[in-house]
Amino acid sequence: MISEVHHQRRYYRSQRFTVMFSLLLGVLYTLAPTAWGDVSQRATLGNKLASNGTGTPSYSMNVTDCPGYILGSLHESDIGLTAQLTLAGPACNAFGQDISNLTIEVIYQSQSTLHVKIYDTANQQFTIPESVIERPAAPTTSYTGNSDLLFNFNAAPFAFWVTRRSDPGAMPLFDTRTSSLPPTPIPPFNASDTSTAFDGFPLVFEDQYLQVASALPYGTNIYGLGEVIASSGFRRDIGTDGGVGTIQTHWARDVADPIDQNMYGSHPIYVEHRYNATTGKASASGVLLLNAAGSDIFLQTPPNSKVSLIEYRLIGGIMDFYFFSGPSDAEVIAQYGSVIGYPMWQPAWGFGFHLCRWGYHNVSDDIENVAQMRAAGIPLEVQWNDIDLYHAYRDFTTDPVSFPGDELRAATNNQHYIPITDVGIAITVNSTDIYDPFTRGVEEDVWIKNPDGSLYLGQVWPGYTVYPDWFSENILSVWTEALRNWTEIGVEFSGIWLDMNEPSSFCSDSCGTGANYSALAPMNVAGTVVTGYPECYNETKWGPSGNMTINGTSTNSCTTSSTTTTAVVKRGVGAGGEKGVNLNSPPYAIHNAIGSLNRNTMATNATHSGGYAELDVHNMFGLMEEKTTHLAIQSVIPGKRPFLISRSTFPSAGKWTGHWLGDNYSKWQYLYLNIQGVLQFQIYQIPMVGADTCGFNDNTDEELCNRWMQLSAFVPFYRNHNTYAALPQEPYRWESVANASRIAIAARYSLLPYWYTLFANSSMAGLPPVRALFYEFPDEPELFTVDTQWLVGSDILVTPVLTPGATTVDGIFPGRGSVIWRDWYTHAAVNATSGGNTTLDAPISYINVHIRDNSALLLHQEPGYTIYETREGPYSLLVSLNAAGTAFGTAYVDDGISFPPGPSRSLTFQAAKGTLKIESKGEYTILQKLETITVLGVQKPSQVSLQGSPVKGWTYKEATEELVVSNTSVNLDGQTTLAWK
């Protein structure tokens, strides 16, 4: 049977066994005849518990006896099908109450996207509102006959599988049939965690528990399912090749960049890069389960199994699947973007270098940094302030002594300013306390409440706080008013930094309810001392400078960085709440690494406007703040593109914000982990992303900061940020770091037209600006695990140094000898090893960057101190010919600031047979001229002509086969031809 999939989400409630269940099951497993317990005994005990007579719902805690569903009442249409699913037997009530009647809708959304939505027919389960994430409308064209994706199903027991029309004999892309999955029961792959067993693979749809599993090709390549810092790297551990498998938990939490644990964001989307060793060809596909619930997603390959598997376990919501056919990785990512929304348009200045730290104590510190950066000749585009800016740590204020508004208002030199906005809003502590943002919020009823209607009070930096209710009808006006008032007192921001929006709380539950408000003072960090340096710097021997050398002696004491991983285990037990449904401690305990779901965040029974429980909407909190803030900035700074960077994200966040990779560490390991984070967020359609350069927590040292400033110059978001009381790490602090920064930023600003074009393509078509190597070279298995290098677009290869003390670096050059890679700095072709690593020189302050052949890059010829100055200067064009003498490139140009995007111009560069043609289309007028054209891979010509007239001012470099035509003064609004022979 064939049909298509429509767009919706499944939500999966999350938390742990009750104490009684845990104890009883612990006894059961202790007494069981095997290491993991007898399934029949465990099910029997669960059934006894379910009728314990206490009046509190009890569950079997086991899916073995879950009956699955039967499909009936099938109706087919031009765009898909609709049918009813009925429980196929007695309810098992594994971790909730089985829902007897479900509806399945299948919509062929396009030739490449299939939407499969399974929901409770009564529509009582939480579903992500269209007001939060707008879904695609039903298609007006029928794709049932030509979609590359086919929906197949068995009616009894119901199961479905998705195949490719173009490759019908291949293993399905997604397959829920029990016969396709490994036989169960399967013992726990973590012996200390019984929940890692697989008791069975029935389709389970309960009010507090949803489960579905799919077979995958053995050891296939899976990417995504974050946000996560995975010890296995960008490619997820699927339990083969010595791996242990993956439990990816989705429950947003405030935590300093842990490894292999849930953290700030939730993105239940994966890309599978499937390689056929017989044909030597690969294809990509993708799966999104659009559900906001807390969840565990398992990737595993059981012992002796011939297949791998993915299993979703969610604690609420519905099953809202989208399947993407690719067949390339970039196309999968773009197809995902067409469902959840393409990324926001970035202002050109956002690609500049940003500087921040927690611990700029007053406006004089800001002014001094700006002056020192200019004195050192290191471009600075944006100065940021952390919570030091605030009065008593209260949002939308400034400290009148340290940051007087009149001094903040004095921004000059085409530079920009960004302040922080924390999500917890301080409450007034007595009748004489005046704090308008809180008071206005009370008047307009925009704060989240307890179930009894009182204000929910957590604790953040200013003391007791309330939290914005993004579902409130008045929150946009209150939020906009607060931001506008902030500008009027002097904080004339160019963008906003959203932090702590998981949301974060320093206590559990509504800890301020009934408390003495004035007894809790704001947090005090005065006197804080940060110890610890990168692994290879010994401050007890060398002192606190962090210098790379002292009196000519290297301070490096090792040559490789350490790697540690953290095992994820269940721990913590919540407390019961409402009758009939356990909001505070759902029966299935997801692997929230901190334990109970209300730890360091809002309690799951906190209540939002419309009756939404925090349990159901928790993972979307950051997204909703980002959307509200983005819309508010449009009002406060009309006509200009908002610039936002935020911490907690969810599908579609990229429409509203960029992201930084959180509170990382000044460690060499985190320099490397930076790369997988950037690659992940390209999948998630949040391409404006980067890490805290030089590290946030602990102290950095000169060498680490040197290498990190180089690396970050080639990722989208480029910010150096540092924690309170740590060793200062502004790039002017060490001369070698200053030198590395000048070189790297000059390259970055030269490449700005290329970056800008990549992001325009992202905003218009969802294509990822930063790419894993195999995206461009999909049939080369040696690239599938490479996450120490990356491509900017399709044409720039970056190979950074990631270990201390290194003066060389090994990197692979994709193409297996079929591609000519040329050095960015010298233009020399690389003599690369085919299919293996090539060792490259990498002295301090130098990062290896290479240009792919068959490319044409529009560049800024004279990188300036600011993005504005850079854009005001002339252009150059760098053409890198392949062996056949061809090259191709495009550029998108507009004013870089207007919102929505106004007039633009699209340029096309095409070279073949000794001729370069420039085509120009659009309404935007480019005032700057193209002054220099460089063509690499040219045999020495005897003559060169421009627009049919001979050119006298050209030069040729034999060693690099490089033709340089200078002083061309080409008008990029017209058509141009350059020829050589």
Side-chain angles (χ1 to χ4, degrees):
M1 197 66 200
I2 301 171
S3 183
E4 154 144 321
V5 144
H6 190 62
H7 178 87
Q8 189 176 11
R9 296 151 177 97
R10 61 175 188 174
Y11 174 75
Y12 190 50
R13 303 177 185 227
S14 153
Q15 198 165 358
R16 318 207 168 282
F17 301 125
T18 62
V19 174
M20 178 178 68
F21 292 161
S22 298
L23 292 174
L24 287 170
L25 288 175
V27 171
L28 171 64
Y29 288 116
T30 301
L31 299 176
T34 67
W36 62 286
D38 179 77
V39 172
S40 61
Q41 286 182 334
R42 186 157 53 159
T44 300
L45 176 60
N47 290 333
K48 289 180 179 178
L49 288 172
S51 57
N52 61 17
T54 64
T56 301
S58 298
Y59 307 108
S60 69
M61 317 301 270
N62 184 282
V63 300
T64 303
D65 295 328
C66 292
Y69 288 82
I70 297 174
L71 182 142
S73 302
L74 175 65
H75 172 72
E76 294 187 81
S77 71
D78 289 341
I79 63 172
L81 66 83
T82 302
Q84 300 302 305
L85 298 177
T86 305
L87 203 62
C92 65
N93 298 332
F95 299 97
Q97 299 294 316
D98 285 83
I99 297 176
S100 299
N101 298 307
L102 308 177
T103 299
I104 179 170
E105 294 178 357
V106 179
I107 298 177
Y108 287 91
Q109 195 71 41
S110 71
Q111 288 184 322
S112 59
T113 301
L114 175 68
H115 184 196
V116 177
K117 175 181 175 183
I118 302 174
Y119 61 95
D120 58 309
T121 304
N123 280 309
Q124 296 301 301
Q125 290 287 99
F126 176 78
T127 304
I128 297 174
E130 289 272 349
S131 61
V132 179
I133 302 177
E134 183 180 0
R135 267 81 92 190
T140 56
T141 301
S142 175
Y143 296 101
T144 58
N146 61 359
S147 170
D148 190 38
L149 296 177
L150 299 178
F151 177 82
N152 313 271
F153 68 88
N154 287 331
F158 170 73
F160 73 92
W161 62 103
V162 177
T163 55
R164 282 190 193 275
R165 189 187 300 271
S166 59
D167 193 5
M171 184 175 176
L173 303 183
F174 199 82
D175 189 350
T176 69
R177 291 172 292 183
T178 302
S179 60
S180 301
L181 289 153
T184 56
I186 299 169
F189 60 87
N190 180 347
S192 65
D193 182 357
T194 57
S195 76
T196 64
F198 297 100
D199 298 320
F201 295 119
L203 175 65
V204 181
F205 200 117
E206 299 174 340
D207 61 347
Q208 295 194 90
Y209 183 74
L210 285 72
Q211 176 182 300
V212 64
S214 169
L216 295 171
Y218 182 89
T220 193
N221 305 293
I222 299 293
Y223 308 88
L225 296 178
E227 182 177 8
V228 66
I229 301 170
S231 58
S232 62
F234 179 48
R235 179 184 182 271
R236 303 308 302 270
D237 183 351
I238 199 168
T240 58
D241 303 319
V244 297
T246 293
I247 306 173
Q248 180 59 55
T249 298
H250 285 143
W251 187 255
R253 70 185 184 112
D254 174 359
V255 57
D257 284 13
I259 296 175
D260 292 331
Q261 295 181 2
N262 59 304
M263 47 192 300
Y264 314 110
S266 300
H267 295 276
I269 164 78
Y270 71 83
V271 175
E272 181 191 352
H273 190 83
R274 186 175 295 189
Y275 180 70
N276 187 323
T278 301
T279 64
K281 296 294 182 181
S283 63
S285 61
V287 179
L288 164 68
L289 178 51
L290 192 50
N291 181 303
S295 64
D296 285 339
I297 302 177
F298 288 75
L299 293 171
Q300 190 52 254
T301 306
N304 304 314
S305 175
K306 296 181 180 180
V307 298
S308 300
L309 65 89
I310 182 170
E311 182 173 77
Y312 299 84
R313 302 178 185 177
L314 308 104
I315 56 172
I318 64 173
M319 296 180 182
D320 195 3
F321 282 104
Y322 285 87
F323 300 94
F324 309 108
S325 68
S328 74
D329 302 273
E331 286 173 306
V332 170
I333 295 169
Q335 290 155 11
Y336 170 57
S338 71
V339 168
I340 54 96
Y342 297 142
M344 61 185 284
W345 284 85
Q346 297 291 335
W349 60 263
F351 294 96
F353 175 66
H354 302 241
L355 185 60
C356 182
R357 80 163 297 163
W358 179 19
Y360 290 149
H361 300 294
N362 49 56
V363 71
S364 297
D365 285 350
D366 288 342
I367 294 170
E368 176 67 13
N369 274 315
V370 172
Q372 290 282 7
M373 290 290 287
R374 188 171 286 274
I378 307 170
L380 173 62
E381 187 71 16
V382 191
Q383 179 68 36
W384 295 47
N385 273 124
D386 209 313
I387 57 176
D388 317 274
L389 171 69
Y390 295 153
H391 177 60
Y393 292 135
R394 291 181 171 187
D395 276 18
F396 311 118
T397 67
T398 65
D399 187 288
V401 175
S402 302
F403 291 91
D406 289 343
E407 294 186 40
L408 278 173
R409 189 174 275 117
T412 58
N413 301 320
N414 297 303
Q415 292 170 294
H416 300 268
Y417 178 69
I418 292 178
I420 194 171
T421 299
D422 279 346
V423 79
I425 302 298
I427 65 171
T428 53
V429 299
N430 55 46
S431 60
T432 63
D433 187 8
I434 299 174
Y435 180 46
D436 190 62
F438 169 72
T439 304
R440 289 287 295 129
V442 172
E443 293 171 350
E444 298 296 327
D445 192 22
V446 303
W447 307 129
I448 293 172
K449 297 181 174 65
N450 291 305
D452 65 2
S454 61
L455 290 180
Y456 184 98
L457 300 180
Q459 180 192 353
V460 199
W461 295 107
Y464 292 125
T465 61
V466 290
Y467 294 90
D469 181 357
W470 308 114
F471 288 98
S472 166
E473 64 180 10
N474 297 324
I475 186 60
L476 177 58
S477 62
V478 170
W479 206 245
T480 302
E481 178 182 316
L483 287 167
R484 180 175 286 112
N485 289 343
W486 212 14
T487 68
E488 291 175 356
I489 65 171
V491 186
E492 295 177 341
F493 53 79
S494 299
I496 291 291
W497 171 21
L498 301 176
D499 197 7
M500 312 283 285
N501 56 349
E502 289 70 36
S504 179
S505 178
F506 299 158
C507 66
S508 299
D509 300 309
S510 188
C511 58
T513 299
N516 179 356
Y517 300 157
S518 60
L520 183 65
M523 299 291 288
N524 185 0
V525 295
T528 300
V529 177
V530 172
T531 59
Y533 282 78
E535 299 90 314
C536 303
Y537 183 88
N538 183 346
E539 72 273 22
T540 62
K541 179 178 180 181
W542 297 110
S545 71
N547 289 352
M548 194 163 56
T549 61
I550 294 178
N551 296 328
T553 302
S554 172
T555 58
N556 178 55
S557 60
C558 62
T559 57
T560 59
S561 60
S562 65
T563 300
T564 59
T565 60
T566 304
V568 180
V569 297
K570 293 197 304 177
R571 55 189 182 275
V573 178
E578 301 178 8
K579 293 182 179 180
V581 59
N582 195 333
L583 290 177
N584 292 321
S585 185
Y588 177 77
I590 64 170
H591 289 71
N592 184 29
I594 199 173
S596 179
L597 298 187
N598 66 345
R599 289 281 301 278
N600 290 357
T601 189
M602 276 194 293
T604 46
N605 67 352
T607 305
H608 299 250
S609 179
Y612 295 120
E614 173 67 10
L615 179 65
D616 291 322
V617 301
H618 173 81
N619 284 334
M620 302 191 305
F621 190 97
L623 161 65
M624 297 185 72
E625 183 192 26
E626 290 142 14
K627 181 176 181 179
T628 303
T629 306
H630 187 112
L631 295 174
I633 293 176
Q634 287 184 39
S635 177
V636 175
I637 314 177
K640 296 184 179 180
R641 301 173 196 174
F643 182 85
L644 280 84
I645 294 295
S646 181
R647 195 166 71 177
S648 183
T649 57
F650 190 73
S652 87
K655 288 179 63 175
W656 314 107
T657 189
H659 174 66
W660 97 100
L661 295 171
D663 295 344
N664 62 359
Y665 292 85
S666 297
K667 303 287 185 184
W668 287 91
Q669 181 187 17
Y670 279 82
L671 176 65
Y672 155 67
L673 294 171
N674 184 157
I675 301 170
Q676 65 164 270
V678 171
L679 291 173
Q680 273 185 43
F681 275 85
Q682 308 305 301
I683 295 175
Y684 307 149
Q685 289 288 348
I686 310 175
M688 178 53 80
V689 60
D692 279 348
T693 298
C694 301
F696 176 75
N697 287 304
D698 301 332
N699 293 302
T700 196
D701 68 13
E702 180 182 3
E703 184 182 10
L704 177 61
C705 198
N706 184 303
R707 295 301 191 185
W708 214 325
M709 284 294 295
Q710 298 170 54
L711 181 151
S712 291
F714 295 92
V715 303
F717 177 52
Y718 188 13
R719 182 183 72 164
N720 182 317
H721 181 219
N722 194 9
T723 193
Y724 191 90
L727 183 73
Q729 62 186 42
E730 293 82 9
Y732 60 78
R733 298 286 180 174
W734 297 282
E735 180 50 40
S736 79
V737 179
N739 187 46
S741 303
R742 287 187 289 264
I743 295 169
I745 294 174
R748 180 184 180 87
Y749 284 18
S750 292
L751 280 164
L752 182 62
Y754 182 64
W755 274 113
Y756 195 78
T757 301
L758 292 171
F759 269 78
N761 291 336
S762 180
S763 296
M764 292 187 293
L767 294 171
V770 177
R771 303 172 189 179
L773 274 54
F774 66 86
Y775 290 9
E776 294 292 319
F777 300 88
D779 303 328
E780 301 178 19
E782 63 269 23
L783 304 179
F784 297 168
T785 60
V786 173
D787 57 8
T788 54
Q789 298 170 270
W790 67 95
L791 289 161
V792 179
S794 59
D795 299 328
I796 299 293
L797 175 65
V798 185
T799 309
V801 169
L802 301 172
T803 54
T807 56
T808 63
V809 63
D810 289 340
I812 193 167
F813 286 87
R816 295 179 172 176
S818 66
V819 175
I820 303 170
W821 294 94
R822 296 181 170 99
D823 187 276
W824 164 261
Y825 307 97
T826 67
H827 297 165
V830 177
N831 182 18
T833 302
S834 177
N837 280 331
T838 300
T839 299
L840 304 167
D841 287 336
I844 199 70
S845 300
Y846 180 89
I847 183 171
N848 276 277
V849 181
H850 292 87
I851 311 157
R852 186 178 179 177
D853 68 6
N854 197 40
S855 64
L857 308 176
L858 184 67
L859 307 173
H860 286 308
Q861 180 166 292
E862 300 171 2
Y865 190 78
T866 64
I867 298 298
Y868 175 83
E869 294 166 17
T870 300
R871 284 172 58 93
E872 287 292 293
Y875 287 101
S876 64
L877 182 66
L878 178 60
V879 179
S880 182
L881 300 177
N882 61 14
T886 68
F888 179 81
T890 63
Y892 178 94
V893 184
D894 64 14
D895 69 3
I897 195 68
S898 295
F899 182 92
S904 65
R905 184 162 292 276
S906 295
L907 306 174
T908 301
F909 313 101
Q910 193 154 3
K913 298 180 180 179
T915 301
L916 169 68
K917 294 183 178 180
I918 304 175
E919 301 286 337
S920 179
K921 296 180 181 179
E923 299 176 355
Y924 180 73
T925 300
I926 302 177
L927 299 177
Q928 297 75 21
K929 304 299 183 183
L930 174 62
E931 291 292 350
T932 303
I933 301 173
T934 301
V935 185
L936 307 178
V938 176
Q939 297 301 310
K940 186 173 183 179
S942 58
Q943 63 183 52
V944 178
S945 64
L946 181 64
Q947 302 292 67
S949 299
V951 174
K952 295 182 180 180
W954 61 272
T955 61
Y956 183 77
K957 298 179 182 179
E958 193 79 40
T960 52
E961 299 181 324
E962 180 173 354
L963 170 65
V964 181
V965 184
S966 303
N967 302 315
T968 56
S969 295
V970 167
N971 181 356
L972 288 173
D973 291 339
Q975 318 304 310
T976 303
T977 300
L978 176 74
W980 58 91
K981 62 180 180 179

